[in-house]
Amino acid sequence: MAFTRATGKHRRPSRVHRGTAKAAGVAALTSTGVIGSLSAPALAAEPAAQTGLTPVVTMGDEVAARVDAQASAQHEAAREAAQAAARVAAEEAAREKAAEAAAKAREAEERAAREAERKRLNTFVSPIAGSYVSTGYLSGGAVWSSGTHTGVDFHAASGTPVLSVGMGTVVEAGWGGAYGNQVVIKMHDGTYTQYGHLSSVGVSVGQQVTPGQQIGVSGATGNVTGAHLHFEARTTAEYGSDIDPVAYLRAHGANV
């Protein structure tokens, strides 16, 4: 029995045609609102597909947050370390500056002290504080063997402190004949000073003395008519090398 291919209206639609028709039908249903009322519950009831992406993203965020926190902590630690180092450096610099300033201040004080001491040692004083010359240099009279006064007499009651007029070394201390008890000092500039008629001597040969230092007390020993201090300035330690005592003292800064 022979079969013939169906044609005309009884022919089965092709796959393309069926798809087109189905699409047209869906479009028609959509326009009427039927597919919307039917599909929403069905779609809502269908469980979502689990792809694994969400947990991975969440874990990535947590790691990133931890990295950021660690980086922030490291940055803060570095900043604090830098600040601490800066403070230490500033404190050290301040200490060094203070030490330098203190050293300069000490040096200035020491210089000032040395200068003051130098001035003190180079400035002469009167051999009797607050006294005056009662008999001048080269005054004439029979009481002096040379016929003139080889020094000056300072008014002084017996027992008045006698002072070294300047810095020097004692070269004579004791009895001096007509001068009675005496002290002779070689001064720092090479000149000599003599202090005569002392009631007592308070220094010894070789002793270093400074301006204003007490070397004895006044009196009336030797060839005298009353208590006073006989003072001479000399170019040598020997008698006869005398120079004007008042001019000598004044030239060295003494107020006489």
Side-chain angles (χ1 to χ4, degrees):
M1 180 177 181
F3 292 92
T4 58
R5 187 178 182 181
T7 58
K9 66 177 180 179
H10 299 291
R11 185 181 180 182
R12 185 179 181 182
S14 69
R15 182 177 296 178
V16 174
H17 178 75
R18 289 197 303 269
T20 301
K22 184 178 181 179
V26 169
L29 291 173
T30 301
S31 63
T32 61
V34 173
I35 192 171
S37 60
L38 293 177
S39 63
L43 291 176
E46 184 178 354
Q50 298 297 322
T51 63
L53 179 61
T54 300
V56 171
V57 172
T58 301
M59 290 177 63
D61 289 344
E62 291 176 354
V63 171
R66 286 196 297 269
V67 170
D68 289 344
Q70 184 177 7
S72 178
Q74 290 176 346
H75 176 75
E76 181 64 19
R79 187 183 67 81
E80 291 178 355
Q83 289 178 343
R87 285 196 299 271
V88 170
E91 290 171 358
E92 182 63 22
R95 281 194 297 269
E96 291 178 356
K97 186 175 181 180
E100 183 179 354
K104 289 182 178 179
R106 284 194 302 271
E107 290 176 1
E109 290 176 358
E110 291 171 359
R111 283 196 303 271
R114 288 194 298 268
E115 180 63 18
E117 183 65 5
R118 185 189 68 80
K119 288 182 179 180
R120 185 185 75 82
L121 295 177
N122 290 329
T123 300
F124 284 27
V125 299
S126 173
I128 301 290
S131 185
Y132 58 91
V133 173
S134 56
T135 305
Y137 179 57
L138 299 180
S139 297
V143 294
W144 300 292
S145 59
S146 63
T148 59
H149 197 199
T150 54
V152 295
D153 292 340
F154 282 91
H155 174 77
S158 183
T160 302
V162 175
L163 313 176
S164 172
V165 297
M167 181 174 65
T169 304
V170 177
V171 294
E172 294 184 32
W175 188 256
Y179 290 106
N181 293 320
Q182 68 165 358
V183 172
V184 178
I185 300 173
K186 182 179 181 180
M187 312 307 292
H188 75 282
D189 64 355
T191 60
Y192 293 79
T193 55
Q194 181 196 36
Y195 312 78
H197 308 311
L198 305 177
S199 62
S200 65
V201 174
V203 291
S204 57
V205 174
Q207 182 176 339
Q208 301 291 316
V209 294
T210 57
Q213 180 178 334
Q214 183 172 338
I215 58 175
V217 293
S218 64
T221 59
N223 186 14
V224 294
T225 58
H228 68 278
L229 171 69
H230 176 81
F231 175 79
E232 287 190 20
R234 299 174 176 175
T235 58
T236 71
E238 304 302 323
Y239 174 81
S241 63
D242 51 277
I243 56 179
D244 185 345
V246 173
Y248 171 82
L249 290 174
R250 288 174 177 170
H252 286 80
N255 184 19
V256 178

